[in-house]
Amino acid sequence: MNSTAPGLAAPRKKIIVAIDGPAGAGKSTIARHLARHFGLLNLETGAMYRAFALKALRGSVPLDDPGALEELSADTSIRLEVGEVDNRVLLDGEDVTGLIRNPMVTDGASRVSVVPAIRSWMVRLQQQLGSDGGVVMEGRDIGTVVFPHADAKIFLDASPEVRGMRRFDQLGPEPPQQPEEVIRDLRARDQRDRNRADSPLRPADDAVLLDSTHMTLDEAVKAAEAIVEEKVALLGTPVAS
Ligand code: DC
């Protein structure tokens, strides 16, 4: 039923901001900031691939067996809940947020994410999560596949060395890896993410490219904010509720 009075434009849905880019480009920091600044929900889709990889690793399901992974997915529930600062990810009802950031799961997530059946399942879940708008969604294929009609799209990038060092700095006082190992792993994931047949990592044609190689994260945050401000001003769309 269409409840809009004749002659009046239908109320516009709330804004969707898509942020894509390789690992360590600063997506999470920027998405978190934009969510706070514009009053949006922040949804981090990588956590969903990570949670599924954790389940496969726990069950010793081979990460290079698409059939076995698809079978496993049929028996898996993944939910993303928006918290105060970060997302919580629930795997079959268990909060696994604290278990998905180690190098093994990180590598596993990149492997399971090449499987088309896993991607289409995740994309459906993500489309449901963002269907009401009022979200900033972060990942690899948000602007190209999940929300090709997103109101603002940012593709964040930086050199592998800069991204690797940012990741290394986040590892805390007793890093499990040396900087060169972090950079090596990151290049391997880049390679897989950018070259997979299904939805490879690439900027959407209408994405604004933001290269933060020579910026501080603070400067990149400000630049992203300006990109969204400009889109919002053009659209006249309510940003959030
Ligand atoms: O953003 P992240 O590092 O947490 O993502 C983990 C892996 O998941 C990454 O190697 C690529 C994959 N991924 C994806 O293919 N599509 C997304 N929308 C998000 C993540």
Side-chain angles (χ1 to χ4, degrees), residues 16-21 27 43-46 48-49 119 122-123 126-127 135-150 152-155 196 199-202 204:
I16 295 179
V17 178
I19 305 198
D20 291 301
K27 297 189 298 296
L43 298 169
E44 196 204 341
T45 60
M48 301 168 77
Y49 288 93
R119 298 206 68 80
M122 294 287 178
V123 167
Q126 291 155 11
Q127 287 172 334
V135 297
V136 48
M137 193 173 277
E138 177 224 308
R140 303 290 189 288
D141 58 345
I142 311 305
T144 49
V145 178
V146 180
F147 287 115
H149 302 299
K153 299 181 186 177
I154 298 175
F155 191 88
R196 66 184 172 221
S199 330
L201 171 66
R202 65 166 183 83

Side-chain angles (χ1 to χ4, degrees), residues 24 29 55 83 137 158-159 180 182 186 188 201 212 217-218:
T29 307
K55 177 151 176 174
M137 193 173 277
S159 73
E180 52 278 14
V182 176
L186 190 129
L201 171 66
S212 68
L217 270 181
D218 243 20

